[in-house]
Amino acid sequence: MPPEHDLLTTGLTTQAAAERLAADGPNELAAAQSRRLGSMIWKVLTEPMLLLLFACGAVYLLLGDPHEAIVLLCFVLIIVIISIIQEHKTERALDALRDLSSPRASVIRNGQQISIAGRDIVQGDLMLLTEGIRIPADGVLLTGINLSADESLLTGESLAVTKIPADPVPQQMGAAGGEGTPFVFSGALIVQGTGLARVLATGNRTAIGQIGQALAATHSEPTRVQSEMQHVVKMIAIASLSVACLLALGYGVSRHDWLNGILAGITFAMALIPEELPVILTLFLGIGAWRIARQHVLTRRIPAIEMLGETTVLCTDKTGTLTQNKMAVAQLFADDASHTCGDPCAELPETFHEVLEYAILASQRKPFDPMELAIQEYSHACLTQKEHWHDSWELVEEYPLSKELLAMSRVWQSTDHAHFVIASKGAPEAIADLCHLSVGQTAALMTEVNRMAGQGLRVLGVARALFMPESSHPSGENNHDLPPIQHDFVFELVGLIAFADPVRAGVPAAIRDCRSAGIRVIMITGDYPATARHIAAQCGIDSPGGTLTGHALTQMDDAELLQRLQDTHIFCRVSPEQKLRLVQVLQQAGETVAMTGDGVNDAPALQAAHIGIAMGKRGTDVARESAALVLLEDDFNSIVTTIRAGRRIFDNLRKTISFIIAVHIPVIGMSLIPVIAGWPLVLMPVHIMVLQLVIDPTCSLVFEAEPEEPDVMQKPPRASGASLFERAVLLTGLFRGSALLLTVLAVYWMALQQFDAGEARALAFTTMVLGNLGLIFIHRSQSASLWHSLRLPNPALWWVVGTGMAVLLLALTVPGLSQLFYFGRPQWHNVLSGAAAALACIVLLALSKTLRDRLTARSSVR
């Protein structure tokens, strides 16, 4: 190994770099183990839900109806494609993380500066760091001039941090974040200065690599509703096929009519098999994703939509989520007076003009640093007088930040070349030192600084000095008379300038909406406690238990942490691993957790949460790839929109399931009872197909498009164990379906006493179709009356009703169709009697619903 001083000038040799690259591997995250396409397709195709769809398609083929079989197979294809896409989510997140961690790198090798691919950098390389580059690997700073790095992707801190060369040089990396450290990290952005750093870690050994490993170890599980739907469909399918076989066997043995026995069994199986269930779940979530996209929210994991209504805790990052991740001038202080900066177009008192004037002179003309950008932006809006701008002045010297003095000064030569103007900005205590303030003056200044810091503001001091050189030249080239250090200038204090990361517009209102919906909002940030408390107060996040730091969190076990989580809603100085732990502890306590964020440091928590929500514009690729939802406009209000949409979808799914039960009861009953009673068969496969013309579009289009209930955001989140098939839903559907079954059965029995089987079948089927159409209106709203349901807008509803009525009318009047339906030619007054029976049944069901609602309201008042 070459001596230490040689490595600082020559770097590694080409041969040594190649050997280390072969030993350690490339500077990138290892790709996730990919699976073959065939194995993924087989896994998807063996799901019980898809096997049921295949079985339904086979039944339709056996019945000679390839059209329905093709429709079902199309649904199978859509579900297969969606499921395979889901299998790639984690791999895509790791791909994005790997791309971010491997930019181009400038290094010194063999004594020469060269540019190499970031993946080829190795431990021991010397990296050249300049403004605007993203650091390719973790390392330690050896030399640096005025170097600052934005590490918000790793730490969540909104402010760039100063980097100081190491002395002595450590051999191991420290933690990200904090002022005045010598460590630089892969993925961080250099916002100011230049430097030379030695690489200490590459690939998975970097801080960003550790996040990648945590992300790879986190797997998404099927949602509870998905699992529940699969289980119910599987059980019903097995039961229906078993009963259908027994029915066919019994009919054939008892009546020696095997053909009609098989027909009765197939009809019963078609009546009972709930082929709508897997379809409606896919359609509701898919169309729900489309509706949410119209509100500028991209859905990346469709099943997460149905969990939105369960959300009980919203864990939100601060920087870039609640705030804009953009520094803005918040307050100015000069001549013992302070000014709160609101509207930049408002007139700024003359007292504070010099603070901005010298802050500009102490900054880069084309800055990268967020605070310098904020100074420039605010000054352009407020300083309209030309005398405050010195575009013609020439920069002749810079005094960078150092570990001993956290202040920087820039020396300017005026246009008359008679003197130098020195502008300085930095930590207030450093500026007080430069200005040689007395103990009393320093104490008074720090009182003001502490007041601002208590409001969560970052404070810089601003000072100025004049210097008259012993000799000057008209060319302005002579600056050799300048003192070697900043302390040799005679500075005077100009004032203080304080910065804030502004809260996003609409965030307080969105948090109020969350609170009214029973959702706790928890802030998890890498920033300092004072800043976190101030931002939380602005947003309306209350925390009776105060704040909890990452350091304190490490001292707690999960039981203690869970206890603190009951009333602590502000967590600060938190590492990525601790964010993930907080999410997991909340999940273990039975909470349904939504997590928002925008940085690499948020990716594991976004992946692990039930609903990960990433910011689209400012969010990193890693955050977006790890999240289930992406806010394309970075609008926090969109979270409330998605939660409202999730609740609406779940409510409508319950309405749909209740409707499915209700309409299947008369179909099942009229398929089974005539066989048992020895009556002529009522329903044939063609009748089931026509009923599906009403049932299928009603489930997939009408109920999906129903608006949310008026009080959807005033109700608490549904319980995490709440089922789509809960007792109330099942009993409601069973009661309404049984009422319609009794009505149809009565019509059929009375018709058989007077007419032949064909005419009686026509009257019973008419009653059943009209009753099913009436059930749609009964189920449209959980609280509205039948009359109100008739007036609710829903264009798809009237298309379904019109289509159903038209098919029924054609089947009753067109001779060829009547023969296809096994109908006789009933008299119109008998048809109207069947319609009146269906209407009477629906009106009675509506009255029972109104009575139930009134009784419920009275009991709640009591």
Side-chain angles (χ1 to χ4, degrees), residues 652-676:
N652 288 346
L653 275 170
R654 279 182 168 172
K655 296 174 188 176
T656 306
I657 288 172
S658 182
F659 171 77
I660 288 173
I661 294 171
V663 297
H664 273 77
I665 293 295
V667 177
I668 294 168
M670 295 310 293
S671 299
L672 184 62
I673 293 175
V675 175
I676 297 174

Side-chain angles (χ1 to χ4, degrees), residues 41 53 89 147 154 203 254 284 314 353 379 437 447 476 517 562 579 594 608 713 767 793:
I41 293 177
L53 286 174
K89 295 302 184 184
L147 191 71
L154 290 166
S254 63
F284 269 54
L314 173 59
H353 284 197
S379 299
L437 298 183
T447 298
L562 182 59
K579 289 186 180 185
M713 290 301 287
T767 305

Side-chain angles (χ1 to χ4, degrees), residues 607-658:
Q607 179 87 349
H610 294 107
I611 306 140
I613 306 172
M615 296 297 170
K617 283 188 174 180
R618 288 191 170 272
T620 62
D621 288 344
V622 182
R624 288 191 293 268
E625 291 291 335
S626 302
L629 302 173
V630 179
L631 308 184
L632 298 178
E633 296 297 328
D634 287 2
D635 184 1
F636 196 83
N637 286 296
S638 299
I639 298 176
V640 179
T641 300
T642 57
I643 291 174
R644 179 181 288 109
R647 292 187 172 193
R648 180 189 68 83
I649 289 170
F650 196 84
D651 284 348
N652 288 346
L653 275 170
R654 279 182 168 172
K655 296 174 188 176
T656 306
I657 288 172
S658 182

Side-chain angles (χ1 to χ4, degrees), residues 9 136 159 184 265 274 319 381 394 424 437-438 453 536 593 596 613 640 662 687 735:
T9 57
L159 299 172
V184 294
T319 306
E394 180 183 356
S424 182
L437 298 183
S438 66
V593 182
T596 70
I613 306 172
V640 179
H687 302 128
F735 171 72

Side-chain angles (χ1 to χ4, degrees), residues 541-621:
I541 299 175
D542 60 335
S543 183
T547 60
L548 189 65
T549 65
H551 176 72
L553 195 152
T554 59
Q555 311 301 316
M556 298 180 179
D557 59 24
D558 287 353
E560 292 176 301
L561 177 57
L562 182 59
Q563 185 65 32
R564 286 296 302 270
L565 278 166
Q566 302 304 312
D567 59 0
T568 301
H569 300 151
I570 303 174
F571 292 83
C572 45
R573 307 303 289 167
V574 174
S575 69
E577 295 80 10
Q578 291 169 333
K579 289 186 180 185
L580 177 60
R581 183 189 173 199
L582 286 169
V583 169
Q584 291 173 335
V585 169
L586 286 166
Q587 289 174 327
Q588 292 167 10
E591 304 281 3
T592 300
V593 182
M595 170 75 192
T596 70
D598 67 340
V600 173
N601 60 310
D602 299 318
L606 289 172
Q607 179 87 349
H610 294 107
I611 306 140
I613 306 172
M615 296 297 170
K617 283 188 174 180
R618 288 191 170 272
T620 62
D621 288 344

Side-chain angles (χ1 to χ4, degrees), residues 34 57 115 140 162-163 186 215 268 322 336 353 431 440 474 499 540 583 611 622 663 688 827:
S34 59
S115 178
V140 58
T162 303
K163 298 297 177 181
S186 175
L215 185 60
F268 180 79
L322 298 176
D336 296 325
H353 284 197
I431 294 298
F499 303 86
V583 169
I611 306 140
V622 182
V663 297
I688 305 296
Q827 298 296 315

Side-chain angles (χ1 to χ4, degrees), residues 303-571:
I305 295 175
E306 56 92 354
M307 298 194 69
L308 286 166
E310 286 186 20
T311 303
T312 57
V313 175
L314 173 59
C315 295
T316 175
D317 180 43
K318 177 184 71 68
T319 306
T321 305
L322 298 176
T323 66
Q324 299 176 17
N325 195 19
K326 173 186 175 183
M327 287 289 100
V329 177
Q331 291 186 29
L332 299 172
F333 176 80
D335 294 336
D336 296 325
S338 62
H339 174 75
T340 299
C341 304
D343 183 1
C345 298
E347 184 177 355
L348 180 68
E350 184 68 32
T351 305
F352 306 99
H353 284 197
E354 282 192 345
V355 180
L356 293 177
E357 178 182 355
Y358 284 94
I360 293 170
L361 289 173
S363 304
Q364 300 288 334
R365 288 200 183 275
K366 295 181 179 181
F368 281 90
D369 183 83
M371 286 188 289
E372 293 186 351
L373 284 170
I375 292 170
Q376 193 175 83
E377 180 180 339
Y378 188 76
S379 299
H380 276 297
C382 294
L383 299 181
T384 55
Q385 298 91 341
K386 292 185 178 180
E387 64 266 21
H388 295 299
W389 298 93
H390 307 286
D391 295 335
S392 60
W393 286 13
E394 180 183 356
L395 179 67
V396 296
E397 185 62 272
E398 282 188 291
Y399 294 86
L401 289 164
S402 66
K403 186 160 52 176
E404 293 76 21
L405 185 66
L406 295 178
M408 60 169 293
S409 300
R410 309 186 87 211
V411 181
W412 299 87
Q413 191 165 45
S414 61
T415 52
D416 59 8
H417 302 291
H419 62 277
F420 295 111
V421 176
I422 302 93
S424 182
K425 65 177 174 62
E429 58 272 20
I431 294 298
D433 185 21
L434 278 179
C435 296
H436 303 288
L437 298 183
S438 66
V439 174
Q441 291 172 323
T442 301
L445 179 67
M446 294 311 296
T447 298
E448 184 64 25
V449 170
N450 292 333
R451 180 189 68 80
M452 292 179 173
Q455 299 176 16
L457 304 179
R458 174 72 178 268
V459 186
L460 292 180
V462 180
R464 66 182 175 192
L466 293 177
F467 181 74
M468 302 295 295
E470 295 182 2
S471 60
S472 60
H473 297 271
S475 65
E477 296 178 356
N478 182 14
N479 61 2
H480 295 293
D481 294 330
L482 293 172
I485 59 174
Q486 300 177 68
H487 263 296
D488 291 343
F489 294 108
V490 181
F491 280 101
E492 62 174 311
L493 179 68
V494 178
L496 300 173
I497 183 166
F499 303 86
D501 186 2
V503 170
R504 291 183 181 276
V507 166
I511 290 177
R512 283 196 301 272
D513 288 340
C514 288
R515 192 160 48 241
S516 68
I519 300 171
R520 281 198 298 153
V521 180
I522 295 178
M523 178 198 291
I524 305 175
T525 179
D527 219 329
Y528 292 92
T531 305
R533 284 193 295 267
H534 183 68
I535 295 297
Q538 288 182 283
C539 295
I541 299 175
D542 60 335
S543 183
T547 60
L548 189 65
T549 65
H551 176 72
L553 195 152
T554 59
Q555 311 301 316
M556 298 180 179
D557 59 24
D558 287 353
E560 292 176 301
L561 177 57
L562 182 59
Q563 185 65 32
R564 286 296 302 270
L565 278 166
Q566 302 304 312
D567 59 0
T568 301
H569 300 151
I570 303 174
F571 292 83

